Amino acid sequence: MSADGQGRSHWFDDEAGPVVRPYAMTRGRTTSAAQHRLDLIAVVVTEPHADDPEDDPTLSPEHVDIVELCRDTSQTVAELSAELDLPIGVVRVLVGDLVESELVHVNRPVPPAELPDESILRDVINGLRAL
Amino acid sequence: MIFGRSERGKPPVEPVTLKILVAGGFGVGKTTLVGAVSEIRPLRTEELLTEAGRPVDDTSGVEAKNTTTVAMDFGRITLREDLVLYLFGTPGQERFWFMWDELSEGALGAVVLADTRRLEDCFAAIDYFERRAIPFLVGVNCFEGAARYPADDVRRALDLDDHVPLLMCDARDRESVKETLIGVVQHAMAQAAQRRQTVTT
Ligand SMILES: Nc1nc2c(ncn2[C@@H]2O[C@H](COP(=O)(O)OP(=O)(O)OP(=O)(O)O)[C@@H](O)[C@H]2O)c(=O)[nH]1
Ligand SMILES: [Mg+2]
């Protein structure tokens, strides 16, 4: 890994200047091309072909964690943040990277105002009653 | 042929997710309410902030000394395999209001918890949801030792619009919290129906 100069310095982006520790793993980047402020309840799902993320040298351990966590059960951004103990902004960047490399996809939540009809809200009420 | 790991299990369910916010003053029972109905113990999620109260990802080079964190707790209710409701306790301090903006975007609605011993603590939350036309109701968390007031008196003290529901609740009691959440969804449905009517007439 360090042969191509991607050792420790790999995590630091010259342009970014000093970085807060957790943001070091996003290489100082605070936004990612594919990511557009993912909602806390956006659902992250691992793609079936994302088999061996740990063998991918471009991925950090945190990227690999996300791919593994979202394989059997989809996870929201909030759940990933809590599970991995990472700030939401960091999770957004990491998920954005994974979307770009097509290892995961993200389902954005439908804003209730755009729901086609009331049936989902009725389902929510019935579901709560049945708890 | 090589079998990848993914071929072992079936692809995960991709549920529809919805969120309801739980707001109110410091120590009013937000985390207790979330915990009373959540299938998981309330989880914590954090965001890094600059001193100015903006999320870190709004700036490029961030210096450690200028940051702080804001924490939110949340719970989950799986209504159906493909329908999951999340409850987010909103951070109290006003300088964290950008987090409210983020949380309230696309929210189904909100519960504003009130304690009759310090009603003024929830004024800010009421103003916030009123201004953004986010459906909300007020849940008066009935602490022991706090005097009980008729709902109308509380309404008047809060200067609540007639259409905003107000109900008494106990944040520790699952049935009571369920009723409160159902109230939020019903109110959201009524508000949506009214909006549709205004558009068509
Ligand atoms: N008697 C009684 N105590 C309650 C009730 N709801 C909450 N409490 C207690 O009040 C205290 C504060 O409740 P929390 O749920 O932590 O309040 P919070 O709004 O999350 O507090 P912050 O996040 O610190 O703002 C806890 O000790 C609870 O056990 C209630 O309905 N009745
Ligand atoms: Mg709390």
Side-chain angles (χ1 to χ4, degrees):
Chain A
M1 197 183 177
S2 52
D4 56 0
Q6 290 211 317
R8 284 214 50 197
S9 60
H10 173 76
W11 302 114
F12 297 92
D13 179 343
D14 290 335
E15 251 81 87
V19 286
V20 181
R21 224 328 280 172
Y23 279 85
M25 65 187 70
T26 68
R27 287 168 250 167
R29 290 163 309 136
T30 51
T31 52
S32 172
Q35 147 253 25
H36 171 79
R37 272 216 153 290
L38 287 179
D39 197 286
L40 282 164
I41 58 166
V43 175
V44 183
V45 190
T46 298
E47 298 290 5
H49 65 261
D51 266 345
D52 285 304
E54 58 274 25
D55 291 343
D56 184 338
T58 66
L59 299 180
S60 69
E62 292 77 13
H63 285 116
V64 175
D65 287 343
I66 293 174
V67 173
E68 295 298 351
L69 279 170
C70 303
R71 189 190 303 284
D72 296 326
T73 317
S74 59
Q75 307 275 334
T76 56
V77 169
E79 285 164 325
L80 288 172
S81 162
E83 177 75 26
L84 301 172
D85 199 16
L86 291 174
I88 295 152
V90 171
V91 171
R92 284 201 175 104
V93 174
L94 297 172
V95 169
D97 292 343
L98 294 169
V99 168
E100 224 167 309
S101 36
E102 299 179 357
L103 294 171
V104 305
H105 67 266
V106 175
N107 296 336
R108 294 173 187 283
V110 182
E114 290 168 28
L115 288 173
D117 56 45
E118 288 184 339
S119 66
I120 288 192
L121 298 189
R122 282 189 210 291
D123 289 351
V124 172
I125 291 173
N126 292 333
L128 284 168
R129 287 223 171 93
L131 279 184
Chain B
M1 185 173 177
I2 298 161
F3 288 94
R5 202 172 327 172
S6 56
E7 272 145 298
R8 277 193 226 144
K10 52 177 164 53
V13 178
E14 303 183 17
V16 169
T17 53
L18 294 164
K19 60 184 169 182
I20 289 179
L21 313 189
V22 184
F26 180 74
V28 76
K30 302 180 290 290
T31 305
T32 304
L33 183 147
V34 171
V37 282
S38 178
E39 67 206 29
I40 47 173
R41 89 195 135 71
L43 293 174
R44 260 167 82 92
T45 177
E46 289 192 342
E47 186 51 302
L48 287 175
L49 292 185
T50 61
E51 286 287 279
R54 295 201 178 290
V56 167
D57 52 336
D58 272 11
T59 62
S60 39
V62 184
E63 288 171 50
K65 64 177 193 300
N66 289 332
T67 62
T68 166
T69 59
V70 53
M72 286 151 287
D73 38 34
F74 69 97
R76 184 179 67 212
I77 304 171
T78 302
L79 298 168
R80 267 193 336 234
E81 196 184 28
D82 60 351
L83 184 61
V84 184
L85 178 63
Y86 289 86
L87 302 178
F88 284 91
T90 56
Q93 295 100 309
E94 296 186 15
R95 70 193 179 105
F96 295 148
W97 273 18
F98 76 88
M99 279 309 308
W100 287 44
D101 291 343
E102 170 155 349
L103 282 165
S104 59
E105 202 183 313
L108 186 49
V111 179
V112 174
L113 273 181
D115 176 348
T116 52
R117 293 167 297 183
R118 41 204 177 96
L119 275 183
E120 64 282 1
D121 286 7
C122 71
F123 289 174
I126 290 175
D127 282 347
Y128 183 93
F129 296 122
E130 256 175 11
R131 258 188 243 131
R132 285 161 186 82
I134 294 166
F136 73 99
L137 59 70
V138 175
V140 180
N141 196 13
C142 301
F143 285 88
E144 287 112 27
R148 302 294 158 98
Y149 299 94
D152 279 346
D153 290 0
V154 181
R155 272 185 170 284
R156 215 167 304 122
L158 290 175
D159 192 20
L160 215 54
D161 279 350
D162 287 343
H163 74 275
V164 177
L166 176 137
L167 39 90
M168 303 296 156
C169 72
D170 183 333
R172 299 162 302 175
D173 181 73
R174 189 175 159 90
E175 288 306 313
S176 170
V177 173
K178 270 167 59 176
E179 283 311 313
T180 307
L181 296 177
I182 289 169
V184 173
V185 185
Q186 283 171 334
H187 183 50
M189 278 170 76
Q191 199 161 309
Q194 201 173 27
R195 203 175 301 138
R196 272 196 299 273
Q197 209 165 32
T198 332
V199 171
T200 51
T201 54

